[in-house]
Amino acid sequence: EAKRQRDGEPKRFCSALEQKLEEQLTLERELRIAIDSGALSLHLQPQVGAQQEVIGAEALVRWLHPQQGMISPGRFIPIAEQTGLILPLGAWVLKEGCRLLGEWQYDPRLRDLKLSLNVSVRQFQQPSFVEQVISTLRDTSAPPERLTLELTESLLMSDPEGTIDKMLRLRQLGIRFALDDFGTGYSSLAYLKSLPLDTLKIDIAFVKDLTLDMQATPIAATIIALAESLGLDVVAEGVETADQCTVLAHLGCHVYQGYYFGKPVPAAEFTRLNSASSFIAS
Ligand code: C2E
Ligand code: MG
Ligand code: MG
Ligand code: MG
């Protein structure tokens, strides 16, 4: 068509853009199928406490693509959010996460672990979200007090009242809330105070720079102090070294998640590694 017939830069630009769009459309079509066909799975990454003991896990969705292999959420969550596929995808994650929590109740070691699920803005803003969670908990016999939902600052800014209302209703069931990637958004401190949160997760960006010489600690230190003054727990994300862990402990953060303690692994592997039978065997 007309655009293709132009000479020089614009033509190259258009075809690169077209190619990108084409790829996105293909991925969207394939994702739609993947959600219904069992191609999604949850990987679990351990969260550890002060004694480096596993206290829970965060569930991270993966897509096993027939040609491309394992695709990370950084590539398909944005597409899912743009197209509305995040609703069936999020429902699947909720169901699968709760199914795991239900299953864990039969194991004396797994039953005390917490599970965190990431919830997208659009997913949380569905009018029926609270009912969806209630019916999923019922269907799976998952204990609500073991479930944490990770929200992002953008949600809290786009619909404060609706968000707080839903959070309070879910909290009555025993569900907890963590604010993910904290420090990368723009939530006001006054507003933060009014939210029924339990946990702040320090974004990986502020953990990356931590070294024993205690330089570059101000942001992490500020977030930890803020959490303390608001009475919130704090989890450090992306902990990769013993030194980062030492500095975080010194600053007052005692729950960690990161490659240093464990990469995300398939849920079945996490379950096996942390079950009572594996504990006795090891
Ligand atoms: P997030 O919720 O902040 O998850 C943490 C991300 O950091 C994960 O990436 C995890 O694999 C990675 N990570 C953990 N420890 C380390 C470390 O020590 N070093 C480094 N470099 N990275 C580390 P992943 O699995 O690729 O997920 C990316 C993002 O995709 C998540 O960020 C979350 O925003 C989104 N996501 C993942 N699963 C879901 C889901 O089920 N639903 C929704 N809505 N979003 C999801
Ligand atoms: Mg998260
Ligand atoms: Mg995060
Ligand atoms: Mg993130």
Side-chain angles (χ1 to χ4, degrees):
E1 70 276 0
K3 276 177 191 163
R4 283 191 190 283
Q5 281 155 17
R6 282 196 209 123
D7 293 325
E9 289 295 314
K11 181 177 155 196
R12 278 209 302 279
F13 173 75
C14 279
S15 56
L17 189 65
E18 276 166 12
Q19 199 183 329
K20 178 118 211 259
L21 275 171
E22 186 73 41
E23 269 169 30
Q24 297 247 334
L25 284 171
T26 306
L27 221 50
E28 178 194 338
R29 201 170 50 238
E30 291 170 337
L31 181 58
R32 198 176 291 277
I33 297 163
I35 295 167
D36 297 325
S37 67
L40 298 183
S41 64
L42 292 184
H43 277 36
L44 301 190
Q45 182 176 35
Q47 295 181 329
V48 308
Q51 267 67 55
Q52 313 210 342
E53 76 285 12
V54 176
I55 59 171
E58 177 176 8
L60 297 155
V61 69
R62 299 288 182 262
W63 173 13
L64 186 57
H65 187 281
Q67 283 88 41
Q68 300 184 37
M70 204 64 95
I71 304 186
S72 70
R75 256 186 86 203
F76 64 87
I77 292 286
I79 295 175
E81 277 170 345
Q82 284 155 28
T83 56
L85 285 173
I86 196 68
L87 300 184
L89 187 153
W92 183 85
V93 168
L94 179 67
K95 193 162 180 200
E96 182 62 9
C98 287
R99 193 187 65 73
L100 287 169
L101 269 180
E103 200 180 282
W104 288 357
Q105 296 319 295
Y106 296 98
D107 184 291
R109 263 187 96 227
L110 292 165
R111 100 170 124 227
D112 295 328
L113 300 184
K114 294 186 212 156
L115 185 66
S116 290
L117 303 179
N118 292 284
V119 177
S120 275
V121 175
R122 270 178 89 165
Q123 186 188 358
F124 195 85
Q125 284 181 344
Q126 293 171 95
S128 63
F129 183 71
V130 173
E131 286 70 32
Q132 188 188 326
V133 172
I134 291 171
S135 70
T136 307
L137 288 168
R138 198 188 41 226
D139 294 348
T140 56
S141 304
E145 63 281 1
R146 297 277 161 238
L147 181 62
T148 298
L149 300 181
E150 297 194 0
L151 308 178
T152 54
E153 289 172 84
S154 52
L155 170 71
L156 308 174
M157 285 186 299
S158 64
D159 174 22
E161 277 124 56
T163 298
I164 292 175
D165 174 67
K166 284 201 185 89
M167 288 173 78
L168 290 173
R169 284 159 66 201
L170 290 165
R171 252 185 154 216
Q172 284 185 335
L173 304 170
I175 291 171
R176 280 169 242 232
F177 289 96
L179 195 51
D180 205 355
D181 307 335
F182 186 71
T184 62
Y186 302 92
S187 42
S188 83
L189 297 185
Y191 181 48
L192 190 65
K193 205 177 151 192
S194 71
L195 290 172
L197 285 169
D198 301 278
T199 304
L200 295 183
K201 293 191 83 175
I202 308 177
D203 191 71
I204 193 164
F206 309 121
V207 172
K208 225 173 203 87
D209 300 330
L210 297 177
T211 54
L212 276 186
D213 62 18
M214 301 292 274
Q215 277 172 354
T217 63
I219 295 181
T222 302
I223 294 173
I224 293 163
L226 178 68
E228 194 171 335
S229 77
L230 293 172
L232 302 175
D233 295 330
V234 57
V235 177
E237 290 196 278
V239 179
E240 294 187 355
T241 68
D243 285 358
Q244 288 168 349
C245 191
T246 304
V247 176
L248 285 160
H250 180 81
L251 295 173
C253 172
H254 306 293
V255 183
Y256 319 102
Q257 183 183 341
Y259 296 169
Y260 180 65
F261 300 102
K263 292 201 167 181
V265 294
E269 189 179 332
F270 179 90
T271 296
R272 188 170 52 72
L273 287 171
N274 291 282
S275 71
S277 53
S278 100
F279 186 64
I280 291 161
S282 63

